[in-house]
Amino acid sequence: MKLKKIHKNEQDEPWPSSEQILCIGGANLDRKIMIKGTFQLHTSNPSSTSLQSCGGVARNVAENLGRLSRRVSLLTAVGDDAEGEFIIEQSSRYMHVIPLQVKGESSTGVYTALLNEHGEMIVATAEMEIYDQIRPSVIFENIPLIASSRLVLLDTNFSMNVIAATIHVCLEHQVPLVVSSVSASKMRKLPRNLHGVEWLVCQPEEAEAYLGLELKDDQQILDAARVFHKLGVQNVIIICGAERVLFASQDGTYGQIPIHPFQQVIDVTGADDAFIAGMIYGITQGYPMEQVCQFGISCVDLTIQTDRTVSDTISMNKLHSRFQELYGTHSQNFVFFKGVYFKKKNT
C-alpha cells in the first residue's frame, strides 16, 4: 500500500485562512436502492434503480456548508480508482479538497443503503477499509491546516489513533472541534480523554455503546451528557430520532427542542449530516446553543424533502427562511426541572 499525500504546493489554492472550516473524515460513494412495496427477508424484493452520488459524513457536511456560503476544506482518503476521482471532481465544486490517495488494493469507500418505499432506511452496508490505512502522522503533517481553521469537524471514520491525534492537535492549538459519532460501532473509537472536543453530536444508542450505559428516558440521557462533560466535552447534543434533540453544556445550559412532524419525507439519508452542517453554521454565526440546534433541524427539513443525500436546494437564504417558519424570529428557551422540560416565559 502506498499513500500519496497531495501537498500544499501541488494545489492551486493556498492553505485556508482562519475564516475557513475544516472537515476531516469520510468521503464515500453513496448507493441508494429503494424497495417497491413491503420489504421481506430471505427472498427477492423488487426495487427501483440504484441512485449513486458522493457521500461520507465529513464530505456531506462540507458540501452542505459550501452550499451555505461557508468557506470549507475537506481532508479525506480516497482510492486510486474511478470512484475516488469522481468524488474529488464532484466535491471540488463546493469545497477545497485535500485528498489522501491510497495506492494499491484499498478502494474508495462505498456506502449502500436499502430504503423502503417511504424513503426510510431498512439496512445499510459500509465498505470503509481504506480509512484504516491512514496513520496519525497525516494529522501532524497537516497541523498548519488545522491550526489556521476557524472550526474543525471530525467524524469517526478514521482509526482510533487518528481521532485521538486530531483531538490533541485541536486542543493544543485551541481550535473549536465538533465530533460526529457516525455509528455505534465507530463511536467506540473515541478516546476516553475527550478534552479538546467542544461539541459532540450523537444518538442515544451511540452514547450507550461508548459509555456502557442503558439510556431509557430523558433523565438518563441528561445524566449521560454529564458523564461526557466529565470526560472533557463542553457541549453535548443527542439526536433522539425524529422526535426531539436534547442538549447540555458544561455551563449548566440544558433542555430539549421538539422536532415537529416534517411536511414531507422523501429520503432520510443524509439527515444527520445536514443537522451537523446547520448547527456548525449556527455556531460560526455566534448563535446560542438552542438556536444552534434549531438551525440543525431546519437544515434537516430542507434535506429530507429531496431524494439527495445533500439537497441541491440548500442555501443560506433558504435555511434562514425555514428557521423562521419553524421557530419564528426569536429563540425559544427550554429548561429542565424534576424530569420535565418547560418553556421559559419571556422576560
Side-chain angles (χ1 to χ4, degrees), residues 20-281:
Q20 197 149 10
I21 299 165
L22 172 64
C23 296
I24 301 175
N28 315 315
L29 193 68
D30 271 6
R31 293 181 178 138
K32 294 187 283 188
I33 304 171
M34 184 166 287
I35 295 296
K36 295 180 179 179
T38 303
F39 174 72
Q40 298 181 46
L41 287 171
H42 313 302
T43 188
S44 175
N45 288 266
S47 64
S48 62
T49 304
S50 172
L51 299 175
Q52 184 167 288
S53 62
C54 295
V57 173
R59 198 219 68 86
N60 290 346
V61 172
E63 181 177 338
N64 275 298
L65 289 169
R67 290 180 179 275
L68 291 172
S69 302
R70 303 301 94 184
R71 297 182 61 214
V72 59
S73 291
L74 172 68
L75 179 63
T76 189
V78 294
D80 185 22
D81 48 31
E83 289 82 3
E85 292 179 3
F86 175 77
I87 289 171
I88 293 171
E89 179 186 358
Q90 296 294 313
S91 301
S92 295
R93 301 175 183 180
Y94 309 100
M95 67 200 76
H96 175 57
V97 183
I98 304 156
L100 304 165
Q101 291 186 316
V102 179
K103 302 278 188 177
E105 296 181 0
S106 296
S107 58
T108 298
V110 177
Y111 171 86
T112 304
L114 189 65
L115 310 175
N116 65 21
E117 57 187 344
H118 304 296
E120 298 166 337
M121 186 172 66
I122 300 171
V123 69
T125 63
E127 303 168 47
M128 308 292 179
E129 293 86 356
I130 188 171
Y131 300 119
D132 296 331
Q133 307 298 323
I134 307 302
R135 300 290 178 259
S137 58
V138 166
I139 299 301
F140 298 118
E141 290 169 0
N142 283 281
I143 285 179
L145 175 66
I146 296 171
S148 64
S149 299
R150 181 174 182 179
L151 178 146
V152 171
L153 176 278
L154 172 69
D155 73 24
T156 52
N157 278 300
F158 286 130
S159 70
M160 183 182 297
N161 290 335
V162 172
I163 291 169
T166 305
I167 294 173
H168 172 76
V169 169
C170 287
L171 176 62
E172 187 176 51
H173 293 273
Q174 297 184 331
V175 178
L177 174 64
V178 177
V179 172
S180 168
S181 58
V182 180
S183 69
S185 60
K186 293 180 180 180
M187 178 86 170
R188 297 189 183 97
K189 293 193 288 185
L190 289 177
R192 304 310 293 185
N193 181 356
L194 296 175
H195 287 87
V197 178
E198 186 160 332
W199 298 80
L200 173 65
V201 185
C202 65
Q203 298 179 6
E205 57 269 25
E206 295 163 352
E208 288 179 335
Y210 178 83
L211 297 174
L213 301 173
E214 190 173 11
L215 308 180
K216 294 183 177 179
D217 54 40
D218 288 353
Q219 182 61 61
Q220 292 179 338
I221 292 174
L222 181 62
D223 291 341
R226 288 169 176 161
V227 175
F228 281 120
H229 292 158
K230 291 179 180 178
L231 295 175
V233 181
Q234 295 184 40
N235 305 290
V236 179
I237 295 178
I238 300 181
I239 304 172
C240 299
E243 299 175 357
R244 63 202 185 285
V245 172
L246 281 76
F247 59 85
S249 174
Q250 281 190 346
D251 66 7
T253 302
Y254 51 90
Q256 75 167 343
I257 299 175
I259 300 177
H260 301 291
F262 296 120
Q263 293 181 352
Q264 185 180 27
V265 178
I266 295 178
D267 186 349
V268 300
T269 307
D272 286 351
D273 307 336
F275 179 89
I276 294 170
M279 63 166 279
I280 288 176
Y281 174 83

